[in-house]
Amino acid sequence: MLTITDLTYRIQGRPLFEGASLVLPDGSKTGFVGKNGTGKTTLFHLIQGHIAPETGSIEVNKKARIGSVAQEAVASEVSVLDVVLMADRERTALLAEAETATDPHRIGDIHTRLAEIDAHTAEARASTILKGLGFEKERQLGPTSELSGGWRMRVSLAAVLFSQPDLLLLDEPTNYLDLEGTLWLEKYLQTYPYTVFMISHDRDLLNKAVTSIAHLEHRKLTFYKGAYDTFEETRRMQMELNNKSREKTLDQIAHLQKFVDRFKAKATKAKQAQARVKMIAKLKPPAAMFDESSSPFNFPDPKKVPASPMMTFDNVSVGYGDKVILRHITNRIDPDDRIALIGVNGNGKSTFAKLLSGDLKPMGGEMRKGKGLEIAYFAQHQLDKLKPEQTPFEHVVELMPYDSEAKRRSRVAQMGLTTSRMDTKVKNLSGGERARLLLGLITFGGPGMLILDEPTNHLDIDSRDALVAALNDYSGAVLIISHDRHLIDATVDKLWIAQNGTIEEFDEDLDTYQRLLTSNSNGKGKKEAAALVVEDRKAARQDAAAKRAEVAPLRKSIKDLEQKLGRLRAELARVDGFLADPKTYDGAPERVILLGKDKARFEGEIARVEENWLTLSEELEQAERAMG
């Protein structure tokens, strides 16, 4: 279906692809993974012909239709259902021609073709897709002008799925879906009859909806058979074998070199030494393979931990204006709670998050917060509060007006932004970098609770893993709204559900909730699915809390070392900046000598701290493995 050969492409001189090649078989379902900013979306533009490669070729089967979600549906008075139906251009054109055609033969041909493309079931098929993506019948018949941008993106996704292109290109399709929509899409793609090429960082989707992985790394494309977990394991084994082969070759070279160094000056051994020089020249050790690791997240622990309960709700109601969205909320949040808020989109999850954060006030009932409780709230609309013309460093200066530049830069480094990105305007940062900055800013003062509404939308898989680690290290309360099942499974031990106009505890697990959502497909009703027996949730929460407490000291030591590394690297960057400045050498030579000594000292301390960090990280990994 798709053949990429020796592709080279650069953006502003920066190479994204160099001699990259890939073949996608007809009918394959392939996940496309790689670090943020490496060129995945650019490749989609190249495949669609929006831009041209510098060298190499991209070939798609002749007559194959390529489909993608280009942009959100236009806000108009056209109904949602009609927008989706119009995505099948052939059907739309044939129906229009049938209204005006007068030639009996042409009319016959039109109706024959309409029957061939199953046009009579089009409305039912489009409606099924829309329902799966969260559109009830009434909303399907309403105009797109009544929808928000996120919902119009869903309309565009529904349209491209309905049109069934031969090559379906999807770029992070779950970013504008909730958990329910993600589960539906997963099942839909499993039975999609044509070729799928999908950029995604959702582990569960990549494990269940695709059967192969294309990996973009070091400007090359590599194809792996199997789902994401298989890809990870295969690549890990390849790295181990490659690096062992490299070490073996380097040892062989070193052994031969010793002979050369020892006997090259002796006439009797000169020929043997020369022969070994030729052997060394022929030995080419494979390049070292390594992961491009993501920077960690660092969330300061709460400066003040409120007494339990940290927050209580007694028959609380909340909404907008005079319209009540949620009512009869009676519950509590404790300082060590880890909660995932689930529920079908539109049932009030974000409304509840705004209530917790203080963006909305209760309309009824009583809501009590612990004295001095600080809450950090992350949501996609919060990104608009960043100042596009300012750099991350300038954002931090406002919060650290009396601190040194080194301390300020150290704090930005702890957010996972490199030295060059610290001084880049926010408008030129990637989505993932802006998310890191916002998370760093809202947690700056050590809040007692984090509310995270879809925090992983712009993060690659390694960054998502780093977020999981940071949340597990953080000692305050956490409430997460997310379609990322891996994030939920790895960080929370309590589920709350938004349904029937309220928020209540869901005393079962995420797997049961997923079975409940998809129960109609196997003949079980929702009542039967809801009655499924699972493990005691209270015991599971207590067990998870005990495990966190057991490794807490080790995690704290690792976190302290990471913070120390951030400070040392910032100091080293400052010294390097002075040494790189020609003006430094115009002054007293003693200053240059002192700077050189500082550089050596910081490099030595960084090496020692990194070694300690590696040792403790291995201990933590072993402890977590032992705990299962």
Side-chain angles (χ1 to χ4, degrees):
M1 171 55 69
L2 172 68
T3 302
I4 299 171
T5 307
D6 291 331
L7 172 67
T8 296
Y9 186 79
R10 292 175 176 82
I11 290 182
Q12 296 178 342
R14 180 171 69 95
L16 294 181
F17 303 96
E18 288 185 327
S21 298
L22 178 72
V23 176
L24 290 190
D26 194 16
S28 64
K29 295 179 177 62
T30 304
F32 190 16
V33 301
K35 289 287 185 186
N36 283 340
T38 52
K40 299 186 296 297
T41 299
T42 300
L43 183 63
F44 275 17
H45 289 309
L46 287 162
I47 291 170
Q48 294 174 91
H50 298 159
I51 51 179
E54 292 179 21
T55 60
S57 63
I58 299 176
E59 297 177 4
V60 180
N61 286 359
K62 291 181 179 179
K63 297 183 180 180
R65 294 177 301 119
I66 302 175
S68 67
V69 184
Q71 57 188 7
E72 66 185 42
V74 176
S76 69
E77 294 309 304
V78 179
S79 74
V80 169
L81 182 61
D82 284 339
V83 169
V84 174
L85 288 170
M86 287 187 291
D88 187 339
R89 295 180 181 178
E90 183 182 10
R91 173 184 171 278
T92 302
L94 288 170
L95 289 175
E97 188 181 354
E99 294 289 328
T100 58
T102 56
D103 181 1
H105 295 292
R106 181 53 188 159
I107 292 172
D109 290 341
I110 290 171
H111 286 284
T112 299
R113 182 55 185 162
L114 285 170
E116 288 174 350
I117 63 175
D118 208 12
H120 67 286
T121 66
E123 189 168 320
R125 286 186 282 114
S127 181
T128 299
I129 291 172
L130 283 167
K131 190 174 189 305
L133 295 176
F135 291 89
E136 296 301 330
K137 193 67 178 179
E138 183 178 348
R139 184 169 260 190
Q140 292 181 24
L141 300 177
T144 57
S145 59
E146 294 180 355
L147 302 177
S148 66
W151 280 98
R152 291 204 299 273
M153 286 300 300
R154 292 192 189 202
V155 175
S156 293
L157 175 60
V160 74
L161 295 179
F162 173 72
S163 68
Q164 289 201 330
D166 303 293
L167 175 58
L168 174 62
L169 303 178
L170 295 177
D171 191 345
E172 292 288 3
T174 60
N175 272 5
Y176 33 86
L177 297 181
D178 52 18
L179 178 58
E180 294 70 32
T182 299
L183 291 170
W184 179 87
L185 179 64
E186 179 184 287
K187 288 190 171 294
Y188 184 88
L189 293 178
Q190 287 172 356
T191 58
Y192 188 76
Y194 307 112
T195 306
V196 177
F197 196 21
M198 176 174 64
I199 300 170
S200 179
H201 297 120
D202 186 322
R203 285 173 179 267
D204 290 271
L205 187 67
L206 291 171
N207 273 322
K208 295 176 181 176
V210 304
T211 55
S212 54
I213 297 290
H215 185 213
L216 173 56
E217 186 180 41
H218 305 310
R219 301 173 295 282
K220 302 291 185 183
L221 294 164
T222 308
F223 184 84
Y224 295 82
K225 290 184 178 179
Y228 186 81
D229 284 349
T230 302
F231 150 73
E232 264 201 337
E233 180 64 18
T234 302
R235 185 167 178 275
R236 185 189 62 77
M237 292 175 62
Q238 286 179 347
M239 288 173 64
E240 289 178 358
L241 290 171
N242 177 86
N243 293 340
K244 284 180 180 177
S245 174
R246 174 181 171 80
E247 289 174 10
K248 184 178 179 181
T249 304
L250 290 173
D251 286 343
Q252 189 176 358
I253 290 172
H255 180 74
L256 292 169
Q257 189 63 48
K258 282 182 180 179
F259 183 93
V260 173
D261 294 342
R262 183 178 178 186
F263 297 111
K264 63 182 178 182
K266 293 187 178 181
T268 56
K269 298 287 187 179
K271 288 184 178 180
Q272 293 93 325
Q274 189 61 35
R276 282 163 175 76
V277 169
K278 292 179 180 179
M279 290 175 65
I280 290 172
K282 291 179 181 179
L283 290 172
K284 297 186 183 297
M289 289 181 68
F290 55 89
D291 280 315
E292 298 176 332
S293 58
S294 288
S295 301
F297 289 89
N298 288 283
F299 301 139
D301 285 328
K303 286 186 176 179
K304 181 180 179 182
V305 180
S308 188
M310 187 172 72
M311 194 179 298
T312 60
F313 312 90
D314 185 6
N315 200 33
V316 171
S317 58
V318 64
Y320 304 90
D322 296 330
K323 184 178 181 182
V324 177
I325 303 297
L326 298 169
R327 52 173 55 85
H328 306 314
I329 304 171
T330 300
N331 216 318
R332 61 184 276 172
I333 297 176
D334 293 310
D336 62 345
D337 272 344
R338 302 300 172 98
I339 303 165
L341 181 57
I342 58 176
V344 176
N345 206 63
N347 276 6
K349 298 191 296 292
S350 293
T351 301
F352 185 65
K354 291 175 183 177
L355 172 69
L356 294 182
S357 68
D359 286 357
L360 291 176
K361 302 299 181 186
M363 298 172 68
E366 186 177 6
M367 175 180 168
R368 294 182 294 275
K369 292 183 181 181
K371 187 177 180 181
L373 173 62
E374 183 183 340
I375 296 176
Y377 177 35
F378 176 95
Q380 295 306 311
H381 71 270
Q382 299 285 92
L383 290 168
D384 295 336
K385 294 184 178 180
L386 296 174
K387 299 170 183 175
E389 295 298 327
Q390 285 191 2
T391 67
F393 178 75
E394 289 169 336
H395 277 76
V396 169
V397 168
E398 295 178 8
L399 299 173
M400 303 175 69
Y402 305 112
D403 290 280
S404 66
E405 179 174 343
K407 286 185 177 180
R408 292 166 178 166
R409 291 194 177 276
S410 175
R411 195 60 186 265
V412 182
Q414 290 173 29
M415 299 176 187
L417 295 168
T418 61
T419 303
S420 63
R421 306 309 277 172
M422 291 180 192
D423 298 313
T424 300
K425 288 184 178 181
V426 165
K427 67 180 182 181
N428 296 324
L429 296 177
S430 69
E433 288 167 335
R434 287 197 295 270
R436 281 182 174 274
L437 175 58
L438 179 59
L439 283 166
L441 294 175
I442 65 174
T443 60
F444 199 89
M449 181 177 186
L450 303 182
I451 301 172
L452 306 178
D453 191 347
E454 298 294 357
T456 61
N457 273 4
H458 298 288
L459 302 180
D460 58 39
I461 289 176
D462 289 339
S463 293
R464 292 181 183 206
D465 287 342
L467 178 61
V468 166
L471 289 174
N472 286 333
D473 286 344
Y474 173 68
S475 61
V478 177
L479 183 136
I480 296 172
I481 302 170
S482 180
H483 64 265
D484 189 326
R485 287 157 284 175
H486 177 72
L487 176 68
I488 293 174
D489 284 334
T491 58
V492 310
D493 42 45
K494 184 183 293 187
L495 297 180
W496 287 9
I497 187 168
Q499 64 178 5
N500 303 323
T502 192
I503 303 291
E504 55 193 1
E505 286 201 42
F506 185 72
D507 290 326
E508 304 190 28
D509 61 6
L510 193 60
D511 287 340
T512 301
Y513 179 63
Q514 292 181 197
R515 290 199 296 274
L516 186 153
L517 292 171
T518 57
S519 58
N520 289 335
S521 64
N522 59 18
K524 289 187 179 181
K526 289 190 175 181
K527 289 183 179 178
E528 290 88 340
L532 289 170
V533 178
V534 295
E535 65 180 356
D536 188 294
R537 294 292 298 164
K538 183 177 179 181
R541 292 196 297 269
Q542 292 172 341
D543 183 54
K547 287 179 178 179
R548 285 201 304 270
E550 189 174 330
V551 296
L554 199 54
R555 289 186 185 278
K556 188 176 186 308
S557 296
I558 292 171
K559 189 171 184 179
D560 290 343
L561 289 175
E562 288 171 347
Q563 291 173 345
K564 187 173 183 179
L565 272 175
R567 292 192 296 270
L568 289 170
R569 285 169 178 159
E571 290 292 337
L572 180 60
R574 182 180 62 83
V575 172
D576 283 339
F578 284 128
L579 290 171
D581 186 353
K583 294 179 181 178
T584 301
Y585 301 90
D586 294 339
E590 292 80 4
R591 186 175 182 230
V592 177
I593 293 171
L594 287 173
L595 286 170
K597 288 181 178 179
D598 285 343
K599 177 179 172 67
R601 176 166 58 84
F602 286 133
E603 288 176 340
E605 287 185 32
I606 287 171
R608 285 191 293 273
V609 174
E610 285 180 338
E611 187 174 350
N612 288 338
W613 182 88
L614 284 169
T615 301
L616 292 181
S617 295
E618 288 177 4
E619 289 180 17
L620 177 61
E621 187 177 339
Q622 291 172 0
E624 289 178 333
R625 194 180 297 118
M627 292 190 302

